[in-house]
Amino acid sequence: MRRLVTTAAVLLALGTVVGAGRPPLATAPLPTRLADTGGGTQLITAMAGSTSSTSGTLTWWDLRDGKWVAAGTATARFGSKGLTEGSTRQQSTYTTPTGLYDLPYAFGVKAAPAGTRYSYRQATTKSWWCEDNESADYNRWVEPLPSDCRASESEQITAYPTQYARALVIGFNYDEPVRGRGAGIFLHVNGSGATAGCVSVPADAMDRILAWADPARSPHIAIGTYDGATAITNY
């Protein structure tokens, strides 16, 4: 049963509908059904069954000769409390924000994998992500931790050597941060279970994504559910 559910999720992500007792019927690729893809020629989609889901499917796509083609896919994990609309999300709710976001830069405890074209910050013990709502550096990478950013309200990158081995920053609440909306939302390597609000994938998938992603092609990530108010096609 688990294998059938996983297979169905992948088919849905790739834009295929499965009918009872019928062969798969091809439909338009998922990116063509989104309200917006960010204007680039690369896209990542992270789709869950519902807002209560903690896992789903992540697919990365290329726009080639006017057609979106899947370049790879992996099982994804979401927040331990599921997903929620990004524009109204609140900090510390352990939910993954839905929406369409850019991918400002990459980082990691490990060195960048071969082929990485993204700007890549390798973490040291001085590397933190400030998540203190009272800090001037809210939702920013800082080195060292500023005096107005409490360690108890932030993440030391090297304290998570597995999850942050390699990662991409998701541009949620990033350009003009809203206090209390949330900070430190990344696409990173799987830990032991659901995330605190990020999207995670197996380590080999993260490496493949970093080797594939080209900032010159303006890749974005769309996060959402199959249907409902947070349907990925709404973004």
Side-chain angles (χ1 to χ4, degrees), residues 104-172:
Y105 60 88
F107 71 90
V109 175
K110 292 184 177 180
T116 300
R117 284 163 286 186
Y118 252 88
S119 174
Y120 191 94
R121 292 184 174 183
Q122 188 162 357
T124 72
T125 55
K126 295 182 179 180
S127 305
W128 290 75
W129 196 272
C130 181
E131 299 176 9
D132 189 336
N133 278 285
E134 304 303 318
S135 175
D137 292 296
Y138 177 65
N139 204 20
R140 287 292 184 270
W141 176 293
V142 291
E143 287 186 4
L145 191 69
S147 59
D148 72 338
C149 186
R150 292 169 291 174
S152 61
E153 297 294 320
S154 302
E155 287 187 318
Q156 186 179 30
I157 304 299
T158 55
Y160 302 90
T162 298
Q163 295 94 321
Y164 295 159
R166 290 172 178 141
L168 273 164
V169 175
I170 294 176
F172 166 74

Side-chain angles (χ1 to χ4, degrees), residues 8-16 30 33-34 44-50 53-59 61 74-78 83 199 221-227 230-233:
V10 171
L11 291 173
L12 280 166
L14 295 177
T16 304
L30 179 57
R33 293 180 275 129
L34 268 59
I44 299 172
T45 56
M47 189 160 59
S50 69
S53 299
T54 58
S55 64
T57 303
L58 185 138
T59 306
W61 307 80
T75 299
R77 293 175 179 172
F78 301 104
L83 299 86
V199 180
I221 184 168
I223 305 169
T225 54
Y226 294 157
D227 51 27
T230 55
I232 198 168
T233 51

